Amino acid sequence: MLVMIGLLGFALAAIIALYIGFNGAAVLPEGNLESAFSFDAAIGLFILSIAAIMPLSGLSSRKRAIIRWLFIQGTLYSYAAETIQHFRGINPRFSQAGTIADSIFSALFGLESLLIIVATVLLAIPFFRKGRPETRPLLVLGIRYAFVSTMVAFAGGVSMIVLQGRYMGDAGNLIVLHGLGFHALQALPLLGWLLERANTDGKTARTWIHAGSIAWMITILLIAVQTALGLTAFELTVLPVLAGVMLLVWLAAAAVSVRKLLKSTDGESLFNLLKDRGF
């Protein structure tokens, strides 16, 4: 179900992209279909990541079912509010032109966002419990870092709700922090998965996961400070440049992980499979 709900986000994004191609993104008085496109695709990717992580949580079937339906209900409402409202020309969060009903939909949107936060926290808790079974420890280590990053992303989202907008100061855009925090759900477990598949020595593998994940977290911290100062994250000043350097550290860790995988037995099998199929 989570996979299907995640793929629905990509399907909606594809439909919106097609519409934009023929009619443009602006819908008067305040709708912006580019925002709907990016939101639906982003939350679809988020839910697919959650679907991949959930089986490793160690939760009982009943608890997983509860969390799963929290995600499904919150995500479906979010898709509907974001997509329908923008097509109606209404900002689904901070409308200045909507009716009382639109204000109610906006408030419900905020509540659904909080519901998704609660579901994510409930899913994250078992990954940090002491004494949990050491099942796939490298992948779980990356997931732990990813959940910490996700909490920072949620903090950015809550800040946007409180501020009734995405900007702090003149140019500090919270959506950059928000998005970078959520992409940790793909970037950081990836390190653990690659090194696990490569059968890398445990100590060496953990070193690379820590290095790449800490670099990602430092990037988020630097972007958060830059945003709080009311400055854009896309300027060649000290904090954004340092953030870029930290992302390169994560990229180096990912490159090393890929190299180790390609040198392993699994990597050789993958290489031979691609070669046999003409790649």
Side-chain angles (χ1 to χ4, degrees), residues 23-90:
N23 301 285
V27 181
L28 297 176
E30 55 186 11
N32 183 356
L33 293 177
E34 289 181 354
S35 294
F37 166 82
S38 60
F39 178 88
D40 288 346
I43 198 170
L45 182 59
F46 170 75
I47 291 299
L48 285 176
S49 301
I50 291 296
I53 288 170
M54 189 175 288
L56 300 172
S57 66
L59 292 169
S60 66
S61 298
R62 179 175 173 275
K63 290 180 179 178
R64 287 203 310 272
I66 292 172
I67 294 173
R68 183 185 307 118
W69 283 104
L70 287 175
F71 277 119
I72 289 172
Q73 188 272 326
T75 302
L76 287 176
Y77 183 87
S78 298
Y79 283 153
E82 184 77 16
T83 306
I84 293 172
Q85 290 295 79
H86 275 299
F87 267 108
R88 292 181 60 236
I90 301 296

Side-chain angles (χ1 to χ4, degrees), residues 106 112 181-182 186 210:
S106 176
E112 294 295 350
F182 278 128
Q186 299 86 47
H210 283 305

Side-chain angles (χ1 to χ4, degrees), residues 199-261:
N199 297 316
T200 308
D201 171 71
K203 185 176 180 180
T204 301
R206 284 192 293 274
T207 298
W208 281 110
I209 294 171
H210 283 305
S213 299
I214 290 172
W216 190 280
M217 296 300 300
I218 292 173
T219 299
I220 292 174
L221 177 61
L222 293 169
I223 295 300
V225 173
Q226 180 79 354
T227 303
L229 292 173
L231 302 173
T232 177
F234 302 104
E235 62 180 21
L236 294 179
T237 53
V238 175
L239 294 180
V241 169
L242 287 176
V245 171
M246 289 297 101
L247 282 180
L248 289 176
V249 173
W250 170 83
L251 183 61
V256 169
S257 302
V258 171
R259 183 171 179 271
K260 287 182 177 294
L261 175 61

